[in-house]
Amino acid sequence: MSNTFKIIVLAGAYVSFILGAGTATGQEIMQFFVSFGYLGIGAIIIAAVLHMWFGAYAMDVGVRLKAEDSKDVFVYFCGKYLGLFFYWFSQLFILVVFIVMISGAGATISEHFDLGDVIGRAFMAILVLITALLRLNTIIKILGIAGPIIVVFSVIVGAGSFDPAGFSKSGEIINGINLSTATSNWWQAGFVYSSFVLLVALPFLANLGKGEIKRKDVIIGGSVGGLIMLVGVFAIYIGILSNIEQLHTKDIPTLFLADQISPALGLFFSIILLVAIYTTAVGMLWTVSTQFSKGNSHKYRIITIVLTIIGFFGGLFPFAKIIDFVYPIVGYIGLILIAGMLYRQFINKGKIGIKTLETLGLNKNIN
């Protein structure tokens, strides 16, 4: 596999993992960025810089640490006790996000195909379960290919829905409607959005890096993945903001935008949304199952099936409500993890070697 293709696959896998139901449907973007009007652009820029940084850095540490357990990665960044807290907290939140994906699938299928959310949740849960039982290499290839496709169609729907007249009036309209906001200030939104993404992405990114040899590939792949992700976010942002008066009550605002452009595009984009949900849900399920199975394939299958059942029944909760309540809280907690990573990279820059790992209680010798 050439270096260029490897970088594309890594970037695509990163994008697919985090560009799931909340982002591709527009719910996260509406609450974190659109709710602040034009200032949301500043929040997106902050988030873009952070996504590019931690995408590259987390995969690079994965290459060098070669941790068998993502617990080691959290301990490396935050120390033994705080690292253990973040490890367990991230596993719990990843499971919550998995439930959000299943709920999002139900909402998408119910809103566009009118088949009911139970059928949508069951369909997605079964598909994700089958995929998660496959090998990691297969999962990474699926994620790597799907990521760029999801972004392209998100840009088409978002940019294609841009209305200069609606955009110019959006600030006034937002002041007159009851729109949920994830944080109290626009600049906080960029940090909080990135920190909750980091909490779920860190184990996956470290695992991606662990399987690679060349640090340059993962650093570029992580940076490109973070940038591509936020290009898609910005396109959806301007599309929603231009049409906020019609969209502020919608569970799936991007699907409404696609329908407005063309019914055919709406149908196709509903499938793209399901692909986005599917790729993220697969990554979430695989990450948690891998951590708790500890390499035991029988245990992995049992845990995967149990978590899928939990995700199906947990998906009964309303999609938008889960995002509104859970994501901002987790985002604020995740800021501590960002601080730990910044400290480790820019202040305590020690190489990952015997002394560093023994101090942290890890037993690996990395060059």
Side-chain angles (χ1 to χ4, degrees):
M1 187 183 295
S2 69
N3 284 5
T4 301
F5 185 70
K6 172 63 70 176
I7 290 168
I8 292 171
V9 169
L10 290 171
Y14 175 22
V15 171
S16 294
F17 186 78
I18 58 180
L19 192 64
T23 304
T25 61
Q27 262 306 325
E28 287 173 13
I29 296 169
M30 193 149 64
Q31 295 180 27
F32 278 89
F33 305 122
V34 174
S35 59
F36 294 103
Y38 308 127
L39 292 175
I41 296 174
I44 290 174
I45 292 172
I46 291 172
V49 172
L50 289 172
H51 273 64
M52 292 173 67
W53 164 68
F54 73 65
Y57 186 38
M59 278 201 265
D60 180 41
V61 169
V63 171
R64 294 182 289 139
L65 193 60
K66 301 291 185 188
E68 296 299 327
D69 192 320
S70 67
K71 184 190 303 180
D72 297 347
V73 180
F74 286 103
V75 170
Y76 173 72
F77 286 130
C78 298
K80 183 176 180 181
Y81 299 107
L82 191 57
L84 287 175
F85 165 77
F86 273 117
Y87 167 74
W88 289 109
F89 185 79
S90 73
Q91 300 305 308
L92 175 62
F93 183 50
I94 288 171
L95 180 58
V96 171
V97 175
F98 174 64
I99 291 172
V100 171
M101 297 302 111
I102 302 300
S103 178
T108 301
I109 289 177
S110 176
E111 188 163 311
H112 193 80
F113 298 100
D114 199 25
L115 294 176
D117 64 347
V118 174
I119 293 176
R121 287 188 286 113
F123 169 77
M124 185 57 65
I126 292 170
L127 186 61
V128 167
L129 174 62
I130 292 171
T131 309
L133 293 176
L134 300 175
R135 297 176 304 161
L136 172 62
N137 287 340
T138 303
I139 293 173
I140 290 175
K141 287 176 183 176
I142 292 172
L143 295 179
I145 294 169
I149 296 173
I150 296 167
V151 172
V152 167
F153 279 93
S154 296
V155 170
I156 289 172
V157 170
S161 303
F162 177 68
D163 174 17
F167 191 81
S168 64
K169 296 176 183 177
S170 59
E172 182 182 342
I173 293 171
I174 286 176
N175 291 331
I177 60 178
N178 184 25
L179 197 61
S180 296
T181 58
T183 62
S184 55
N185 296 295
W186 67 267
W187 58 269
Q188 289 177 347
F191 286 99
V192 172
Y193 179 78
S194 290
S195 63
F196 89 73
V197 170
L198 172 62
L199 263 173
V200 296
L202 182 57
F204 182 77
L205 291 170
N207 270 308
L208 273 183
K210 182 177 70 175
E212 301 302 322
I213 299 174
K214 297 181 179 180
R215 292 179 60 191
K216 181 180 177 181
D217 288 353
V218 299
I219 291 172
I220 296 175
S223 300
V224 171
L227 180 60
I228 291 173
M229 161 70 179
L230 272 298
V231 169
V233 167
F234 179 74
I236 295 172
Y237 160 82
I238 61 173
I240 294 177
L241 192 60
S242 300
N243 301 272
I244 189 60
E245 193 167 19
Q246 299 167 283
L247 295 175
H248 73 279
T249 59
K250 303 290 184 184
D251 259 0
I252 317 289
T254 52
L255 189 52
F256 179 84
L257 291 178
D259 275 327
Q260 293 297 104
I261 296 172
S262 161
L265 180 61
L267 173 61
F268 195 73
F269 190 68
S270 66
I271 297 172
I272 293 296
L273 283 180
L274 292 175
V275 171
I277 293 168
Y278 159 74
T279 55
T280 299
V282 167
M284 299 292 172
L285 182 59
W286 174 82
T287 298
V288 177
S289 297
T290 299
Q291 290 306 308
F292 289 105
S293 63
K294 306 296 183 185
N296 185 313
S297 58
H298 178 66
K299 188 183 293 185
Y300 173 82
R301 287 192 291 271
I302 293 174
I303 292 172
T304 301
I305 292 169
V306 170
L307 291 180
T308 302
I309 294 171
I310 292 173
F312 173 76
F313 286 103
L316 287 167
F317 293 100
F319 174 59
K321 297 279 186 189
I322 300 175
I323 291 176
D324 183 34
F325 177 73
V326 176
Y327 283 23
I329 294 173
V330 174
Y332 280 111
I333 295 173
L335 290 173
I336 302 171
L337 177 58
I338 286 182
M341 291 177 70
L342 288 168
Y343 173 79
R344 171 59 74 181
Q345 184 173 21
F346 297 108
I347 298 176
N348 183 5
K349 299 182 183 180
K351 291 183 179 180
I352 301 178
I354 297 176
K355 291 184 179 179
T356 303
L357 298 176
E358 286 181 348
T359 301
L360 295 172
L362 309 177
N363 297 311
K364 289 209 170 280
N365 180 15
I366 310 299
N367 294 320

